[in-house]
Amino acid sequence: MIKTLDDSSIKQWDEFVENSSLATFFHKAGWKEVVEKAFGHKGYFLYVEKQGKITGILPLMHVKSMLFGNSLSSCAFCVYGGIVANDEESYAELDKKACELAEELGVDHLEMRNRTQVTPERPYKELYVTFRKELEEDEEKNMLAIPRKQRAVIRKGIKAGLVSEIDQEVERFYQAYSESVRNLGTPVFAKKYFSILKQVFKEQCEILTVVDKNGQLIASVMNFYFKDEVLPYYGGGTEYARAVKGNDFMYWEVMRRAVAKGIKIFDYGRSKEGTGSYRFKKHWGFVPKPLFYEFYLVKSDSIPDINPLNPKYQIFIAAWKRLPLPVSQIVGPWLAKDLG
């Protein structure tokens, strides 16, 4: 029997996520609250229940935008998603229900953000890869596992006197992150979104901020902790970061602190092939693995191509990079809320 997540089933849902080897941080029930509160999009978190126990889950978000189309995805604003089920029957039930819901809502497409290919007959987006790596228990072994040139860059940050601090508020993080994404020509999310992430995920959502010996803000990153993994998810540096190798030092500090906590997996998240972030992660010795974002087309004849590599967005990106930072922080959230 398929049911929809409500307050009474959140605990049971998250217990299923914790106990499933296939579930990710982005399958947690809290994402429904986060996206609905931050962006106003409707969540449809579906699950199969048999004999009082959950046997499969599917978190879906409906994002309807005049600029970017009408979509149903698992899960919007997340890099992983898709159906997690204990058996084929539960999987099939959820897949069928998702397709029916997509038809009822009249969306352009249904998108499943899978790590592995699940439904080969459906079209998928050959664009994203993910970078994941097992960590050593010893800090120095992790440093030595990083290619020599990248180690030298990290050590420049250490020699520059940079230090990392854990923030409980989002202020410094938002300053560094919003400046960084503006410089990339990307609209920034509202500060409210990051505050809600902290409120909902609590100790699983940690902000690490890098400053120099004078206390000057250099860089900051929001990390998610899940089971034995750390996922640096949103991060960026100020104008001072490049000169002192602040971003490189920042991610090393995330890794170093994670090892001290007993974390086993460093998940560098997704990147588009051929981009700067893709090359940056490869310099750390991480091996890219393709992600399979599979689509069930409803009103659309083809899969969407809303990404910065699309030539039609180049003029917009170039103009956005020239915006004053305060302006980008005001206008950006209006656009970013629909870029799930």
Side-chain angles (χ1 to χ4, degrees), residues 226-238:
F226 177 71
K227 298 180 182 178
D228 62 350
E229 304 178 6
V230 61
L231 301 89
Y233 201 60
Y234 295 111
T238 67

Side-chain angles (χ1 to χ4, degrees), residues 145-311:
I146 299 169
R148 180 178 56 82
K149 288 184 178 180
Q150 185 59 34
R151 287 203 307 270
V153 173
I154 294 168
R155 286 182 171 134
K156 285 182 181 179
I158 296 172
K159 290 178 182 178
L162 302 183
V163 295
S164 65
E165 302 171 349
I166 302 301
D167 284 354
Q168 299 306 316
E169 303 297 331
V170 303
E171 300 302 322
R172 293 197 296 181
F173 160 78
Y174 193 72
Q175 183 180 340
Y177 177 71
S178 60
E179 181 176 337
S180 180
V181 297
R182 188 279 311 270
N183 292 343
L184 291 171
T186 304
V188 70
F189 292 117
K191 187 189 297 184
K192 172 185 175 182
Y193 170 51
F194 301 104
S195 295
I196 294 172
L197 282 168
K198 282 286 293 176
Q199 292 165 11
V200 171
F201 294 119
K202 300 179 174 60
E203 70 278 358
Q204 287 187 294
C205 179
E206 179 186 88
I207 294 174
L208 181 145
T209 296
V210 172
V211 297
D212 66 12
K213 55 189 176 183
N214 298 314
Q216 173 69 51
L217 174 63
I218 301 297
S220 190
V221 58
M222 176 175 279
N223 307 295
F224 299 137
Y225 282 86
F226 177 71
K227 298 180 182 178
D228 62 350
E229 304 178 6
V230 61
L231 301 89
Y233 201 60
Y234 295 111
T238 67
E239 62 179 308
Y240 309 107
R242 184 183 295 272
V244 293
K245 310 304 179 185
N247 287 318
D248 306 86
F249 175 82
M250 175 177 71
Y251 289 113
W252 165 248
E253 282 294 282
V254 173
M255 187 179 291
R256 185 184 67 79
R257 286 174 177 264
V259 169
K261 293 180 179 182
I263 297 299
K264 305 296 184 186
I265 302 291
F266 191 98
D267 188 325
Y268 236 146
R270 79 178 185 190
S271 290
K272 302 177 187 71
E273 291 192 59
T275 61
S277 66
Y278 176 91
R279 291 186 289 272
F280 178 82
K281 293 168 186 178
K282 286 195 72 176
H283 289 162
W284 282 70
F286 283 61
V287 178
K289 293 183 179 180
L291 290 172
F292 293 86
Y293 287 11
E294 298 180 351
F295 291 81
Y296 172 74
L297 302 178
V298 182
K299 289 191 172 183
S300 179
D301 295 325
S302 60
I303 62 177
D305 189 22
I306 303 171
N307 77 82
L309 299 181
N310 188 328

Side-chain angles (χ1 to χ4, degrees), residues 6-265:
D6 58 21
D7 290 344
S8 67
S9 52
I10 288 176
K11 182 180 178 182
Q12 191 181 10
W13 176 293
D14 278 341
E15 285 176 350
F16 178 87
V17 171
E18 290 292 331
N19 293 323
S20 171
S21 61
L22 299 176
T24 71
F25 181 79
F26 305 104
H27 286 91
K28 288 180 67 68
W31 282 100
K32 184 175 187 294
E33 179 182 353
V34 168
V35 176
E36 288 184 343
K37 281 186 176 180
F39 306 122
H41 302 306
K42 173 69 175 175
Y44 298 87
F45 278 39
L46 310 176
Y47 66 94
V48 176
E49 186 177 84
K50 296 180 180 179
Q51 298 178 341
K53 292 185 177 181
I54 291 180
T55 58
I57 62 170
L58 175 58
L60 292 165
M61 297 302 307
H62 181 204
V63 179
K64 188 175 183 179
S65 166
M66 292 183 65
L67 290 176
F68 306 113
N70 187 2
S71 66
L72 185 66
S73 65
S74 176
C75 190
F77 304 96
C78 300
V79 295
Y80 309 137
I83 297 169
V84 178
N86 292 343
D87 54 78
E88 292 183 5
E89 183 181 24
S90 298
Y91 187 99
E93 287 183 51
L94 287 166
D95 187 68
K96 180 182 178 183
K97 180 62 177 178
C99 293
E100 291 174 349
L101 181 59
E103 299 278 358
E104 291 171 14
L105 294 173
V107 298
D108 299 324
H109 60 265
L110 165 68
E111 179 184 18
M112 300 289 199
R113 299 182 177 180
N114 302 319
R115 279 192 195 171
T116 58
Q117 191 168 33
V118 181
T119 316
E121 63 270 21
R122 288 181 183 165
Y124 72 92
K125 186 179 291 184
E126 296 182 84
L127 177 66
Y128 296 109
V129 298
T130 187
F131 293 84
R132 289 165 56 82
K133 183 179 180 181
E134 289 189 18
L135 296 173
E136 300 285 349
E137 294 182 2
D138 180 75
E139 179 182 317
E140 187 58 26
K141 286 183 179 179
N142 285 304
M143 177 65 85
L144 293 174
I146 299 169
R148 180 178 56 82
K149 288 184 178 180
Q150 185 59 34
R151 287 203 307 270
V153 173
I154 294 168
R155 286 182 171 134
K156 285 182 181 179
I158 296 172
K159 290 178 182 178
L162 302 183
V163 295
S164 65
E165 302 171 349
I166 302 301
D167 284 354
Q168 299 306 316
E169 303 297 331
V170 303
E171 300 302 322
R172 293 197 296 181
F173 160 78
Y174 193 72
Q175 183 180 340
Y177 177 71
S178 60
E179 181 176 337
S180 180
V181 297
R182 188 279 311 270
N183 292 343
L184 291 171
T186 304
V188 70
F189 292 117
K191 187 189 297 184
K192 172 185 175 182
Y193 170 51
F194 301 104
S195 295
I196 294 172
L197 282 168
K198 282 286 293 176
Q199 292 165 11
V200 171
F201 294 119
K202 300 179 174 60
E203 70 278 358
Q204 287 187 294
C205 179
E206 179 186 88
I207 294 174
L208 181 145
T209 296
V210 172
V211 297
D212 66 12
K213 55 189 176 183
N214 298 314
Q216 173 69 51
L217 174 63
I218 301 297
S220 190
V221 58
M222 176 175 279
N223 307 295
F224 299 137
Y225 282 86
F226 177 71
K227 298 180 182 178
D228 62 350
E229 304 178 6
V230 61
L231 301 89
Y233 201 60
Y234 295 111
T238 67
E239 62 179 308
Y240 309 107
R242 184 183 295 272
V244 293
K245 310 304 179 185
N247 287 318
D248 306 86
F249 175 82
M250 175 177 71
Y251 289 113
W252 165 248
E253 282 294 282
V254 173
M255 187 179 291
R256 185 184 67 79
R257 286 174 177 264
V259 169
K261 293 180 179 182
I263 297 299
K264 305 296 184 186
I265 302 291

